[in-house]
Each structure stands twice: as C-alpha cells, then as structure tokens.
Amino acid sequence: MLEKGKISNRQLTILVMLLTIGDSILVIPPSTTHYARQNAWISTIIGMVAGLLTTYMYSRFVKAYPNLTLIQAIQKALGKWIGTILSLMTLMFFLMIGVGSMREISDFVVSEMLQGTPIPSILILFILIVIMATRLGIEVIGRAGEIFTPMIIILFLVLTVAIIPQIEFVRITPILEDGIKPVLRGAISITAYTFLEPVVFLMFLPYVNQQQKITKSLLQGCFLGGIIIFLTLSVSILVLGPDLTTRDIYPSYNIARRISVGGFFERVEALIALQWMLTLFIKVTLFFYAFILGVSQLFKLKEFRVLTLPTGLILVALAPLIAPNYTYYNTVFDNYLVYYVITFGFFLPLVLLGVAMFRRALHKDLKSRN
C-alpha cells in the first residue's frame, strides 16, 4: 500500500462527522432555505435520512471490494479502459470539490475578516497546511480530527446556547405552506452537498483498523454531523427568519454577531469562523489526499508525496478562476454542482456495488452448475 498508516474506528467516526459539517454550517442554510423557506429544517431531516442510507451503502464496499480503494474498485469492476476513464473523472471530481472549498475560504476571509487581503496569499497559507497534513499521512489527519473535535463541539454548544434568547418559533410557521415539493428540492441540495461528499472515504476504508466496525463508524459520523447541520439551519431560521437566511451569504456567521450576554460576551463571530476553518481544513485535506492517492494508484507510482506540491499549486491557481464572484459560484452550485455530486456520490458507488453483486451471483450460479 502507498499509505502505511492506519486510523481507528473512532477516528473514522470523527472524520466523517467533521467532513459532513465541513463548510455546510455557513453555506448550506441560504441554499436550502432558498427552496424550502421556513420548512428547510424538514429538508434537513429528509437529507439526513437519505444520507444515512447512502452511508450504509458506502459501508458495503468493505465486503464487495475488500482492501481496495474507490479507484482500485473502479478498475477491478469495469476493466482497464472504461475503468481508467471513469477513474480520471472521479479524480477530477475530488479535485473540483477541493478547488471549490478553497474558493469558499478565500471569499469568506476577504469579505468578512481581512478585507483587501490578496486572495492568493490566503490560498497559499491554507494549502501549505493541507500539504503538510497530507505528507504526514492519514494517521496524523485522524489524530488532528480528535484534537479539533472537542473544541468544535464546545464552540458550537456555547454559540447555540448564547443565541437562545433571540429564537422565535413563529418564524418556522406555517409548516408546508407550499406543499412538499419545495421541501424535497431543498433536501436535494443538502443531501448532495452535506451527505454525499463522504464518498471520499471510499479511498480510505482499507486503512481502518477494525474493518468489521466500519458500518457503525460511518453511520455514527454521518448522524452526528447531520445533527449539527440540523441545529445550525434551524437556529438560522428561528433567529433570522427565512427571508434573511436566504439573502444572507453567511447567516450563521452573522447570527454570532448578534450574540450579547450580559453586555460582555459579544462580538464572538470569530468563534464560528474558527469552527468553520477547522472543519473545512479536514474537508479540503481529505479530498486533496484522495486525489493524490488516487492518481498514484491509477498510474502505479511508488510514492504519492511527490505530488503534493504540484497539486497544491494547481488548487491555488484554479480557485480564483472557477467563478468571477461568490454569487456566480452559488448559482453554479445550486443548478449544476448538486447533480455533479449526486453522480459521483450516489450513482457511481451504486453501479460498482451492482457489478459486484452481479458477479457474485454469476459465480455462485456457475459453481452450482459444476
């Protein structure tokens, strides 16, 4: 194996949770509320159920393709030529998710925290940390997740409790005013962007210590991450209402600005920015790592670390180019990127599992005849 390290099942749970949270705590509320309005919390529940079912499907890979990553499974299932083409498309998917997340980082920092800062400088600083983590391996990334998790959970609980006095439940009424269709459309966005991106873990399942406990770890991580996203989106609607949540680019960040406890605990938006940076670091690192590991396996390289620096430069170069501004990026996400994620996050694993089941059934039939 190119990667020598191993992660525990607890680390897998933590990484799945952090990836599920990712950048969703800032960018998902306006996207989902745009369609479902005050019923976006229902969309989140639907998305979480769909995500848990999909995550269970991911866990079946351990039996269908033991000790194989997603790229290796594609080649085994579909052969050399089709497998290579589909592998390249999958690697491009990993790369584009990483590029999009890098763009979100730069837009957020420049617009909300360090106005006037050149975007390349932010991207270079961030990608250097990602490269360092990738070169250290999956085991170190898992340990970093363990260190970040208590801080992220404490920050989330403190911010949630502090905003409770501003919550008004009337803002989530009337329920299902326009029927179920807008709610389902909102569920598509949150399912794709939050609960299908853990497909990247199909690149890392062979490096989990106790393979028999992978299903439990994946489902726990997905559920815990889904709960945090549900609470984040619900609080956004209950505090801001559906109109402001939809119009605001970063509703969760601006909710933190409203916190004022006793006249001294206020202006704490930096805390949610820190929470977001930590979860987004894990997300970008995992997709970055998956891309490099996949390229190394596809082209049978003996060492993957030599690809970290050139790939990092590619991300830094592409991030400012994928969209002229954040509004354009958000439009592309809502109308196109959602279905791009669904293709590789749901249909690709489904096809691979279908091929494995068909081959197993065919093998049993031939064996019984002989």
Side-chain angles (χ1 to χ4, degrees):
M1 285 187 177
L2 289 167
E3 171 59 66
K4 305 296 184 182
K6 292 281 187 177
I7 58 173
S8 67
N9 292 87
R10 183 178 70 175
Q11 289 171 337
L12 177 62
T13 298
I14 288 172
L15 290 176
V16 172
M17 181 188 72
L18 296 180
L19 178 70
T20 302
I21 298 170
D23 46 358
S24 299
I25 54 174
L26 278 184
V27 301
I28 275 298
S31 175
T32 306
T33 310
H34 172 72
Y35 295 103
R37 308 293 295 166
Q38 68 272 13
N39 298 301
W41 61 276
I42 303 177
S43 298
T44 309
I45 295 174
I46 296 172
M48 186 160 60
V49 172
L52 288 169
L53 293 173
T54 306
T55 301
Y56 179 78
M57 178 180 70
Y58 296 159
S59 70
R60 297 297 88 193
F61 252 72
V62 178
K63 290 185 177 180
Y65 300 99
N67 299 318
L68 296 181
T69 66
L70 178 59
I71 296 301
Q72 293 170 331
I74 291 173
Q75 293 180 298
K76 179 180 179 181
L78 303 176
K80 181 179 178 180
W81 297 107
I82 297 178
T84 299
I85 293 171
L86 195 54
S87 295
L88 289 172
M89 294 171 65
T90 304
L91 292 172
M92 186 59 64
F93 166 72
F94 291 154
L95 183 68
M96 292 309 298
I97 295 296
V99 169
S101 299
M102 293 282 289
R103 177 55 187 265
E104 290 171 2
I105 294 167
S106 60
D107 283 340
F108 173 76
V109 172
V110 169
S111 63
E112 301 291 341
M113 300 181 70
L114 301 173
Q115 290 86 356
T117 304
I119 288 179
S121 63
I122 297 168
L123 295 173
I124 290 172
L125 288 173
F126 192 85
I127 200 64
L128 286 175
I129 303 172
V130 172
I131 290 174
M132 184 185 302
T134 303
R135 293 179 69 88
L136 291 172
I138 189 65
E139 193 169 337
V140 172
I141 297 171
R143 290 174 184 172
E146 286 183 302
I147 295 172
F148 294 161
T149 298
M151 189 187 312
I152 291 169
I153 292 176
I154 290 171
L155 290 176
F156 176 78
L157 291 176
V158 168
L159 294 173
T160 303
V161 171
I163 202 66
I164 285 177
Q166 300 185 41
I167 285 177
E168 295 182 19
F169 285 95
V170 70
R171 292 194 172 109
I172 63 171
T173 59
I175 296 175
L176 296 178
E177 179 184 21
D178 299 316
I180 194 66
K181 188 175 180 181
V183 175
L184 294 177
R185 179 58 185 87
I188 292 176
S189 295
I190 198 166
T191 300
Y193 206 59
T194 303
F195 297 108
L196 293 186
E197 289 187 347
V199 67
V200 73
F201 283 100
L202 296 182
M203 292 295 298
F204 304 116
L205 293 186
Y207 309 114
V208 178
N209 276 326
Q210 294 178 292
Q211 295 282 302
Q212 69 275 13
K213 295 183 179 180
I214 281 179
T215 300
K216 181 181 177 181
S217 299
L218 289 174
L219 292 175
Q220 284 180 339
C222 179
F223 180 75
L224 293 172
I227 291 296
I228 291 179
I229 297 302
F230 171 76
L231 292 175
T232 300
L233 194 145
S234 299
V235 168
S236 298
I237 299 172
L238 291 169
V239 173
L240 299 176
D243 291 327
L244 282 178
T245 301
T246 301
R247 291 200 299 267
D248 204 332
I249 298 177
Y250 308 111
S252 302
Y253 183 76
N254 290 319
I255 283 175
R257 285 177 170 168
R258 295 181 172 220
I259 293 176
S260 179
V261 180
F264 69 92
F265 185 72
E266 53 188 15
R267 301 295 297 178
V268 293
E269 61 271 15
L271 295 180
I272 198 166
L274 173 62
Q275 178 187 358
W276 185 62
M277 287 292 183
L278 293 176
T279 57
L280 199 54
F281 162 72
I282 294 295
K283 176 179 176 177
V284 174
T285 301
L286 288 173
F287 276 97
F288 182 83
Y289 196 176
F291 174 79
I292 289 174
L293 186 62
V295 170
S296 301
Q297 290 175 340
L298 183 62
F299 295 102
K300 295 179 173 54
L301 303 181
K302 294 182 179 180
E303 175 60 53
F304 69 88
R305 291 174 178 83
V306 295
L307 300 175
T308 53
L309 185 58
T311 305
L313 293 175
I314 291 173
L315 261 68
V316 171
L318 290 180
L321 300 178
I322 60 171
N325 52 60
Y326 188 79
T327 303
Y328 180 88
Y329 174 81
N330 221 22
T331 302
V332 170
F333 160 70
D334 278 336
N335 295 309
Y336 304 105
L337 189 59
V338 166
Y339 304 103
Y340 185 51
V341 175
I342 290 173
T343 300
F344 289 95
F346 179 75
F347 288 111
L348 174 60
L350 185 65
V351 169
L352 293 178
L353 284 176
V355 171
M357 292 173 64
F358 175 77
R359 285 184 171 179
R360 190 180 299 117
L362 186 62
H363 178 72
K364 287 183 179 179
D365 182 57
L366 292 174
K367 191 175 181 180
S368 63
R369 290 183 180 181
N370 293 332

